Amino acid sequence: MTTRVLIVDDRPTNLRIYAQFVTIMGEKYSSVTFADPVEALDWLHKNTAELLVVDYRMPKMNGAEFIKKVRKMSSCSDVPAIVITAHQDRECRLSALDAGATDFLQSPVSHVEFCKRAMSLLTKSEKSVNLRKRASEIERKHASVTDNTEHSAPTNKSMLEQIIDTIPIMINATDRSGRCLFTNAYQSALFDKTPDEMVGRDFGDLLGPELARNSDRRNKVVLRSEQPIPHYEEKFTSDGVELIFHCNKSPLLNHKGETIGVLTTAVDITARKFAEEHRTHLALHDMLTGLPNRALLAEKVRKAIDTCQKSGKEAALLLLDLDRFKVINDTRGHHSGDTLLREVAERLLDIIGPDDFAARIGGDEFAIILGEVDGADTINSRCTKILKAINEPYSISGIEQVIGASIGVSLIPSDGNEYEELLRLADLAMYDAKANGRNCHRFFSEGMNQIAQADAALEIELRDALSQNQFVLEYQPIVDAKTLNYVGLEALIRWDHPTRGRLLPVQFIRVADDTGIMDTLGKWVIAEVCSQIRQSADEGVELPRVAINVSPRQFQNQNVCEDILKNIELNDIDPSKIVVEITEELLLHNNDHVSQTLHRLRKAGVGISIDDFGTGYSSLQYLRDLPANCLKIDRTFISRIEHSAADRAIIGTISHLAHALDMRVIAEGVENDAQLELLQVSGCDEIQGFKIARPQRAEDLPKLFQAQRKHVSSSAEG
């Protein structure tokens, strides 16, 4: 007899592929395919299938809705159903489970996994069906014997006995010694016997050693207490197929109310347990990689803490963050990024030991618990092996990619005896690894904790500073390299701290950026610069263009373009008065949103300057595609220009390249006459630095530009 698999998917290509998978399973299997779920339902009203394979996302009804309708058909209530979903469809899977799905396959589906899951479900389902058929056959044979016997004969079955024989629940009664007094047809079918053949036999001989011991122990409890025992689950193996039953045991009483034995009932809950296991797996595992998630990690760390405290031994928690993953994810697309994460997960599983544990806790972060470790040398060796495995090239869509990882280590229980604390300390160590060149590992130290505590205190002060208007702007002049006339300003934020005095950005910007305060601070700077340009104009002083540093975080978390253009309009200033300074880090993570924002600003007349050029991940493609009109050479090149021919050559090359792309070149950090002269002959257009002028307070700008006007006027008259 052919076993039929019904396949429902709105994509014809998938239907052909899945049908081919069914063919691979063997000659006894056949497939029926439908692109329309409504047509599939109509077919099921007149036909039967032994397995359903259903795509979740379909136009007319989704997979959960389809299965819910199927389960209402009496002929299909127990047919196993595989739902095909994408890896991120957690809610879809839960919805399908609630509707009655049995198992899941992740798209794209491999033929190996398809055949394995399908065969497993068909085997379990076939066993349950055979049990019910066998029970019916036994009942029919028993009934035919009874029909040939006189109605008054003692073998005649009561109506209640007939009902008990037909329900799909195992029921048996045993005497005080464990011998069978009665079984129904369903119970007898499990052992491939008739009820009459079961009577008088010891159940222990049929159940196997372990099940027999468990049953005997529970029977003694019931006989001794003369009370039912709580519900319990038991696994039965029949012909190599594992079935799970929900069981009850109660005292068996005679007409005098005396306990003469034990009554046992068992309901087959195999399908329900399968669904419960899926639901539990979804709650505790990452959908993309299949690794345990943060919730299960917490449970495992707490167990490791308890074990180490009892044994006096040590374990380690590793927090691993991939280096350069965002570059691949942004440039190659999320599909390539997902593929890479799955491969990293597989490598971690391959390299960790049997006593270790690996989890994905979000994004490109993974955690590893190293079981019992013998000192720092062991951990060093294990971390080195992990990094080596991750560093091996990856082939993503036929293109070779290489990434690294930064690992932070906290020791269990030396560094802490709580999960949250150990994770925090490992996170501090991981950031220390990133700060020390990446692709390495670092242990947590008390010094890191002190830095973290200081950062937390600074965050509180920063938030107070915002509400108390403690931030101010200073403006550093930029001059033309030939005439030394003022042609621009750079707005620089300062913090007038109530106890520490005026603080430079290097003393607080990192914490502001890490905590999200930079979002609010960045908005304030934009508004303040536009307001200052308007105020100066009202006072008769026309300021040149003003450069505003915009962090990558501002581009990611807020609509910078709208904010700038709104403030320009609000203050009624020329858009060319504003220059947005971006770093090469933003260029590295360039995406459509960033590119569209920069083009829109440039089209509106706002200038775009690439700051610190030459120290990041410079790319000619970025320079070509993005609408920047200015390059600012980083001060590290300027500081070496007097003594390094290589740096002079680099500056000359950058200038030549920028001019070819119709960009101005600004040299920042110029501090003496020698540097100024060399930069003038290297092709730089504009100069910025202490040699020209130190940052000016806003109230000093009118005096600065009035002095320049007088100088220009006197030069013209002379």
Side-chain angles (χ1 to χ4, degrees):
M1 182 178 175
T2 301
T3 299
R4 280 197 291 201
V5 179
L6 175 67
I7 304 170
V8 187
D9 195 311
D10 61 301
R11 288 163 290 189
T13 302
N14 287 351
L15 288 177
R16 289 195 299 271
I17 292 172
Y18 301 152
Q20 184 63 34
F21 290 169
V22 173
T23 303
I24 294 172
M25 289 165 58
E27 293 181 357
K28 65 174 285 190
Y29 301 97
S30 66
S31 61
V32 181
T33 62
F34 288 95
D36 186 335
V38 175
E39 292 180 6
L41 288 172
D42 290 340
W43 183 87
L44 279 172
H45 279 295
K46 302 171 185 176
N47 302 274
T48 59
E50 285 68 48
L51 175 66
L52 308 177
V53 177
V54 185
D55 185 47
Y56 188 89
R57 297 191 179 277
M58 297 183 290
K60 290 189 176 180
M61 70 175 72
N62 65 39
E65 293 166 342
F66 177 83
I67 292 172
K68 187 177 289 186
K69 291 180 182 296
V70 168
R71 292 298 183 229
K72 292 178 180 178
M73 302 179 190
S74 58
S75 60
C76 300
S77 59
D78 296 324
V79 176
I82 298 176
V83 176
I84 297 174
T85 68
H87 71 264
Q88 72 271 22
D89 286 344
R90 184 185 300 273
E91 293 305 317
C92 296
R93 292 194 178 196
L94 290 172
S95 173
L97 279 173
D98 292 337
T102 316
D103 201 356
F104 298 93
L105 283 171
Q106 181 174 306
S107 179
V109 182
S110 75
H111 77 275
V112 175
E113 196 67 18
F114 183 99
C115 296
K116 177 183 175 183
R117 298 283 186 87
M119 294 290 283
S120 174
L121 288 177
L122 284 168
T123 301
K124 289 179 182 293
S125 177
E126 186 178 2
K127 183 61 184 177
S128 296
V129 170
N130 287 341
L131 274 176
R132 288 194 292 271
K133 286 182 178 178
R134 176 66 177 146
S136 297
E137 290 172 3
I138 291 171
E139 170 56 21
R140 281 198 301 272
K141 289 179 181 178
H142 207 145
S144 65
V145 171
T146 304
D147 289 342
N148 294 328
T149 309
E150 292 183 3
H151 292 292
S152 58
T155 56
N156 187 28
K157 300 175 70 177
S158 68
M159 184 180 295
L160 178 60
E161 288 177 308
Q162 293 178 56
I163 293 172
I164 289 174
D165 261 345
T166 58
I167 60 176
I169 299 174
M170 294 196 301
I171 302 174
N172 70 72
T174 55
D175 63 16
R176 299 187 73 91
S177 64
R179 296 191 175 278
C180 178
L181 297 173
F182 166 82
T183 66
N184 71 340
Y186 196 82
Q187 171 81 78
S188 303
L190 185 68
F191 301 108
D192 200 25
K193 298 183 181 300
T194 66
D196 289 342
E197 291 173 330
M198 295 285 291
V199 174
R201 297 198 57 166
D202 190 328
F203 257 95
D205 297 337
L206 301 168
L207 293 175
E210 185 175 353
L211 284 177
R213 283 194 298 272
N214 290 339
S215 181
D216 183 58
R217 176 173 52 81
R218 292 187 177 105
N219 285 347
K220 287 178 179 177
V221 171
V222 173
L223 292 171
R224 184 173 60 251
S225 66
E226 297 188 343
Q227 295 292 324
I229 62 173
H231 304 308
Y232 63 94
E233 292 178 6
E234 198 76 85
K235 292 181 180 179
F236 291 85
T237 301
S238 177
D239 298 332
V241 179
E242 190 177 80
L243 303 173
I244 304 174
F245 287 84
H246 183 81
C247 308
N248 295 275
K249 284 185 180 290
S250 303
L252 180 66
L253 308 177
N254 62 13
H255 65 283
K256 297 179 181 179
E258 300 168 334
T259 300
I260 60 171
V262 178
L263 177 66
T264 305
T265 61
V267 181
D268 187 348
I269 59 169
T270 306
R272 193 189 84 193
K273 289 296 293 183
F274 204 73
E276 287 177 358
E277 288 170 6
H278 269 302
R279 189 176 287 274
T280 301
H281 186 88
L282 287 174
L284 298 176
H285 289 77
D286 169 52
M287 295 287 287
L288 175 62
T289 63
L291 289 178
N293 62 13
R294 188 183 288 265
L296 192 51
L297 173 69
E299 179 183 324
K300 292 292 184 180
V301 170
R302 292 184 181 111
K303 285 183 179 178
I305 293 169
D306 187 55
T307 300
C308 289
Q309 288 177 333
K310 289 178 180 177
S311 67
K313 295 183 179 179
E314 201 164 49
L317 174 62
L318 277 55
L319 193 62
L320 183 152
D321 186 89
L322 300 181
D323 300 329
R324 295 190 71 253
F325 170 75
K326 192 176 189 315
V327 180
I328 294 172
N329 205 44
D330 288 350
T331 58
R332 299 291 312 285
H334 291 291
H335 178 72
S336 294
D338 290 348
T339 302
L340 181 59
L341 289 172
R342 282 194 291 267
E343 289 202 27
V344 169
E346 289 175 8
R347 292 188 188 187
L348 291 179
L349 289 175
D350 287 341
I351 201 167
I352 64 173
D355 297 327
D356 303 331
F357 175 85
R360 181 187 177 215
I361 59 176
D364 59 345
E365 278 194 326
F366 297 82
I368 299 171
I369 302 173
L370 298 181
E372 294 181 1
V373 292
D374 188 16
D377 289 343
T378 303
I379 299 173
N380 286 332
S381 176
R382 298 291 302 279
C383 287
T384 300
K385 289 180 180 178
I386 291 170
L387 289 173
K388 183 179 178 182
I390 291 174
N391 291 162
E392 291 293 324
Y394 300 80
S395 179
I396 309 296
S397 301
I399 299 175
E400 191 172 276
Q401 300 281 356
V402 178
I403 60 169
S406 299
I407 301 176
V409 183
S410 60
L411 302 178
I412 305 172
S414 304
D415 289 334
N417 56 11
E418 292 184 359
Y419 161 69
E420 290 80 5
E421 179 68 2
L422 287 165
L423 190 66
R424 184 181 73 84
L425 300 182
D427 190 55
L428 288 173
M430 184 268 290
Y431 275 104
D432 187 51
K434 283 192 175 294
N436 282 275
R438 302 174 181 263
N439 202 37
C440 61
H441 71 279
R442 288 288 186 274
F443 287 83
F444 164 75
S445 68
E446 187 56 38
M448 291 180 205
N449 197 33
Q450 291 172 358
I451 292 172
Q453 297 299 332
D455 286 352
L458 185 60
E459 179 186 352
I460 295 172
E461 289 186 287
L462 279 167
R463 297 191 187 281
D464 290 339
L466 278 169
S467 62
Q468 296 170 18
N469 300 316
Q470 294 175 5
F471 292 103
V472 295
L473 289 181
E474 291 183 351
Y475 298 85
Q476 185 166 33
I478 302 170
V479 300
D480 182 276
K482 294 178 181 178
T483 66
L484 299 187
N485 289 331
Y486 297 119
V487 293
L489 297 167
E490 180 179 3
L492 303 170
I493 192 166
R494 302 290 187 257
W495 179 5
D496 280 339
H497 195 282
T499 58
R500 297 166 61 191
R502 180 157 287 198
L503 302 182
L504 299 177
V506 69
Q507 296 170 282
F508 61 85
I509 281 295
R510 178 185 59 82
V511 174
D513 208 39
D514 290 345
T515 57
I517 294 173
M518 196 64 224
D519 295 348
T520 305
L521 208 51
K523 282 179 173 289
W524 177 82
V525 170
I526 292 170
E528 190 71 10
V529 166
C530 293
S531 175
Q532 183 62 52
I533 294 173
R534 176 73 270 155
Q535 181 183 335
S536 296
D538 292 343
E539 294 172 357
V541 178
E542 194 69 25
L543 296 182
R545 67 178 190 272
V546 181
I548 302 172
N549 290 283
V550 179
S551 72
R553 183 186 180 94
Q554 286 175 264
F555 271 90
Q556 293 168 4
N557 297 350
Q558 59 184 258
N559 196 332
V560 173
C561 182
E562 293 295 337
D563 206 27
I564 292 173
L565 297 180
K566 180 185 71 176
N567 278 280
I568 286 173
E569 182 180 0
L570 181 67
N571 290 279
D572 191 24
I573 61 176
D574 190 327
S576 65
K577 292 287 187 182
I578 301 295
V579 176
V580 172
E581 284 200 355
I582 59 176
T583 63
E584 290 182 73
E585 180 186 355
L586 182 64
L587 298 181
L588 177 66
H589 303 321
N590 178 37
N591 54 39
D592 291 340
H593 169 68
V594 170
S595 181
Q596 289 169 8
T597 298
L598 294 176
H599 275 92
R600 187 179 170 197
L601 286 170
R602 193 73 193 94
K603 187 176 180 181
V606 175
I608 307 294
S609 176
I610 300 175
D611 197 11
D612 301 334
F613 188 79
T615 60
Y617 302 87
S618 306
S619 168
L620 298 182
Q621 180 181 337
Y622 297 142
L623 294 182
R624 182 197 66 191
D625 295 342
L626 292 179
N629 59 336
C630 183
L631 286 185
K632 184 177 281 190
I633 301 175
D634 187 71
R635 65 182 63 245
T636 56
F637 294 107
I638 310 303
S639 65
R640 299 191 297 251
I641 192 173
E642 298 172 74
H643 312 289
S644 170
D647 285 298
R648 289 195 293 274
I650 289 171
I651 291 171
T653 302
I654 292 174
S655 298
H656 182 74
L657 172 64
H659 292 153
L661 295 172
D662 198 25
M663 297 182 189
R664 298 189 317 278
V665 178
I666 301 176
E668 64 176 342
V670 182
E671 297 184 352
N672 57 52
D673 290 331
Q675 291 174 349
L676 175 59
E677 291 172 6
L678 288 169
L679 289 166
Q680 286 173 327
V681 299
S682 294
C684 288
D685 302 297
E686 298 174 7
I687 303 296
Q688 177 182 354
F690 287 175
K691 166 60 185 171
I692 305 303
R694 291 181 176 273
Q696 309 286 309
R697 291 175 178 264
E699 57 265 28
D700 295 331
L701 290 179
K703 183 171 32 176
L704 181 75
F705 287 99
Q706 284 168 0
Q708 172 172 289
R709 271 208 311 272
K710 289 178 182 177
H711 172 71
V712 172
S713 298
S714 61
S715 297
E717 291 171 3

